[in-house]
Amino acid sequence: MHRRTALSVSAALLVAAPLLSACSGQARPGTAAVVGGERITTSALQAQVGDVRTAQNRTGQSAQLIQASPGLERVKLNKMIQTAVLERAAKDAGVVVSPREVEEFRKAQLEKAGGPDKLEAAALEQAHLAPGQLEADARFKLLRDKLFEHYGSQDKALEKLAAAAKALHIQVNPRYGAWDAQQIVLGDQQTPWITQRTRSEQAPAGA
């Protein structure tokens, strides 16, 4: 999403509105959200959810894990939107994360967790992350930390993230909740979407 050609504010609004809403005013089928004029499709969202459910079903405690993640669609859509916001804010700030940095971060995660099996189990239980989602989560964390370091304070970084979110003109299908522009979060998430951590404080699984 962050690679799209920049549009003016008015053009972005003209593109986004018909993508999300049909003539009747109902949310357009197949669209979970529109971020920066780009659709997050329900099929893309369901693929994320499906990967987690598949991973949960492969464990010996699938019933407990599934019961503990009833709002998985909203959680995943929230992360997808926030990822786009983070990418936009990082681009505006000139902050980048290299593949090598992601690789090194992943190695550190594995060592801290005690191996891939333990890391994957913790990520699945604590953060509803399927094994195939760990690399993207690692990039998210690194980009988040670099953005905080770039601005030197949490408040300043959050101010820039809020500006990035506003510039993306985020619209969400009401089926998944309402976008809170002030908190930069979807629906009634119980914790802030982004929290400051040093790399030494990183937990094995994603926030």
Side-chain angles (χ1 to χ4, degrees):
M1 297 176 197
H2 61 285
R3 296 193 182 103
R4 73 181 184 88
T5 302
L7 297 173
S8 67
V9 172
S10 59
L13 286 170
L14 288 171
V15 169
L19 283 173
L20 187 64
S21 301
C23 296
S24 62
Q26 299 298 314
R28 176 178 172 180
T31 300
V34 176
V35 182
E38 299 284 344
R39 295 172 63 207
I40 295 178
T41 64
T42 54
S43 59
L45 174 60
Q46 289 305 319
Q48 292 257 331
V49 172
D51 286 346
V52 175
R53 294 302 188 209
T54 297
Q56 289 173 332
N57 283 321
R58 288 175 179 164
T59 70
Q61 50 180 347
S62 57
Q64 298 96 311
L65 290 173
I66 292 171
Q67 186 176 10
S69 54
L72 190 55
E73 283 187 339
R74 180 177 290 180
V75 170
K76 287 300 177 185
L77 182 56
N78 182 63
K79 185 66 172 285
M80 293 169 83
I81 295 172
Q82 289 177 345
T83 296
V85 172
L86 180 58
E87 294 278 4
R88 172 63 178 265
K91 182 179 180 181
D92 291 344
V95 172
V96 297
V97 169
S98 70
R100 182 176 180 82
E101 287 176 303
V102 174
E103 182 181 356
E104 290 175 351
F105 183 86
R106 296 272 284 128
K107 287 181 179 178
Q109 282 186 312
L110 287 169
E111 290 177 6
K112 186 172 183 178
D117 291 344
K118 290 183 179 179
L119 175 63
E120 290 175 6
L124 187 62
E125 180 178 353
Q126 299 169 16
H128 311 315
L129 290 169
Q133 296 168 354
L134 290 176
E135 185 170 343
D137 184 66
R139 175 180 165 77
F140 182 97
K141 284 180 173 180
L142 282 169
L143 208 54
R144 174 195 66 188
D145 285 353
K146 278 197 166 186
L147 194 69
F148 273 75
E149 290 166 6
H150 176 79
Y151 287 113
S153 76
Q154 180 171 331
D155 288 345
K156 184 65 174 178
L158 290 173
E159 178 184 323
K160 295 298 183 179
L161 285 161
K166 183 178 181 181
L168 289 171
H169 305 290
I170 296 164
Q171 295 180 299
V172 176
N173 187 323
R175 169 184 173 183
Y176 302 104
W179 177 253
D180 187 329
Q182 183 174 1
Q183 299 297 321
I184 324 175
V185 72
L186 174 61
D188 56 357
Q189 300 289 320
Q190 296 302 308
T191 56
W193 83 280
I194 189 165
T195 55
Q196 185 174 21
R197 294 180 181 172
T198 64
R199 288 189 176 86
S200 62
E201 295 170 334
Q202 294 281 350

